[in-house]
Amino acid sequence: MDTRWSSNFGDTEWWQVKFAEPRVIAGLKISWETAFAEKYEVAVSMDGQQWQKVYSVPEGDGRTDILFFKPVETRYLRIQCLQRGTGWGNSIYEIAFYDGDRAPKVTATSSTDGAGPELALDGDPSTMWRSAVAGEQMLTVQLPETLSLGGLEILWGDPATRYDVECSADGASWTKMFEEKNGNGAKDYIFFPATDARHMRVICREGPANGYAIKEMEFKSGEEQASPIRAYQAKARDAARGRYLMWLTREQEFWT
């Protein structure tokens, strides 16, 4: 963590690794330096020529990114930076990989055919977990290791209007970290005080009569924990343009 890769001062820079032999990858943890990529993609390849995108980050904010996707066998992995988040280039302290046997284990109280719980954490927003019934339904994730968590992004299909987010170190004793009483769907940005957790669950309590659907979830590291600014930023993302200061949505608010 005292050394780093630093790119040229450009947007379309990339970092790539060639593994000694093909291996199954299910996710990675990226520790960004101050110069981070606001928009970037993770792609894999068996030959270093034909690439398959497995994850896309449209609103990166640096620090530590925890990404999970459907396990895929690959020889190469590339982080393709598309747009810088600062005036510098792109810079990474360290990257850790989660092999296929360390993929998160996702379960749910119910699901419909072809819409299992694992689809809420496969890196593909075109697929989703869908509960078989309404009422109280639960989606639970067992992480590959204990992580410092500070929040969660949920991209809904059919949203819960009332739900809780809970964390646990052992899967037995749970702590409520967030409560939503008036959800409106789309994407929810959830922040809470940093906590070490091996398990997280979303408890859907009220919503559509046909059940709930989650397209994708992304975990936030403990460095991105709840703060007054975080709360305003989360609200500003979904608000009509002009209701909040432009810098809360990371827009330039002056001309020079």
Side-chain angles (χ1 to χ4, degrees):
M1 290 293 291
D2 292 327
T3 61
R4 62 188 174 94
W5 162 64
S6 180
S7 76
N8 291 327
F9 286 16
D11 285 323
T12 55
E13 303 287 324
W14 51 264
W15 177 96
Q16 176 180 306
V17 60
K18 177 184 179 182
F19 299 114
E21 58 186 22
R23 59 191 289 190
V24 177
I25 301 296
L28 62 158
K29 181 166 62 175
I30 307 173
S31 300
W32 294 95
E33 194 252 353
T34 303
F36 65 94
E38 181 172 344
K39 296 181 180 180
Y40 67 94
E41 296 175 349
V42 178
V44 297
S45 172
M46 288 299 290
D47 60 7
Q49 301 296 322
Q50 301 296 318
W51 293 90
Q52 173 192 353
K53 182 175 68 176
V54 294
Y55 205 94
S56 178
V57 177
E59 297 177 330
D61 50 11
R63 302 178 179 86
T64 301
D65 284 350
I66 304 168
L67 313 177
F68 295 111
F69 43 81
K70 183 179 179 180
V72 59
E73 185 177 22
T74 186
R75 185 75 187 273
Y76 297 81
L77 183 143
R78 177 182 290 185
I79 298 174
Q80 178 68 63
C81 304
L82 302 174
Q83 180 177 312
R84 292 170 290 169
T86 70
W88 297 288
N90 305 275
S91 185
I92 297 175
Y93 281 122
E94 197 70 18
I95 300 171
F97 300 98
Y98 294 106
D99 291 341
D101 58 356
R102 300 181 68 214
K105 296 178 175 60
V106 192
T107 57
T109 47
S110 74
S111 60
T112 59
D113 292 340
E118 72 282 356
L119 298 181
L121 213 63
D122 68 347
D124 184 356
S126 69
T127 64
M128 68 186 78
W129 161 68
R130 185 178 295 279
S131 69
V133 295
E136 185 171 305
Q137 296 291 302
M138 187 161 51
L139 184 74
T140 304
V141 179
Q142 178 180 322
L143 297 165
E145 62 185 357
T146 299
L147 294 171
S148 176
L149 300 179
L152 179 70
E153 287 185 15
I154 303 178
L155 179 61
W156 292 96
D158 293 322
T161 55
R162 190 166 71 89
Y163 66 91
D164 300 335
V165 175
E166 297 183 346
C167 288
S168 172
D170 56 9
S173 177
W174 294 86
T175 301
K176 183 190 292 187
M177 306 302 299
F178 178 83
E179 180 180 10
E180 176 62 70
K181 296 181 178 180
N182 191 29
N184 59 2
K187 180 180 282 190
D188 283 352
Y189 300 86
I190 298 165
F191 296 99
F192 46 74
T195 184
D196 291 337
R198 182 73 189 275
H199 306 260
M200 177 183 283
R201 65 187 183 189
V202 179
I203 306 174
C204 302
R205 302 193 182 279
E206 293 179 2
N210 61 335
Y212 316 95
I214 294 179
K215 295 181 177 180
E216 205 62 39
M217 297 194 302
E218 182 178 309
F219 297 94
K220 295 294 186 181
S221 70
E223 300 164 327
E224 302 178 72
Q225 62 182 314
S227 68
I229 286 297
R230 287 287 183 193
Y232 279 115
Q233 286 174 328
K235 291 181 180 296
R237 289 177 193 258
D238 292 332
R241 185 179 173 88
R243 287 188 173 272
Y244 288 85
L245 296 170
M246 292 173 66
W247 61 265
L248 284 170
T249 52
R250 300 173 66 187
E251 294 182 81
Q252 182 171 306
E253 59 183 12
F254 59 89
W255 172 83
T256 181

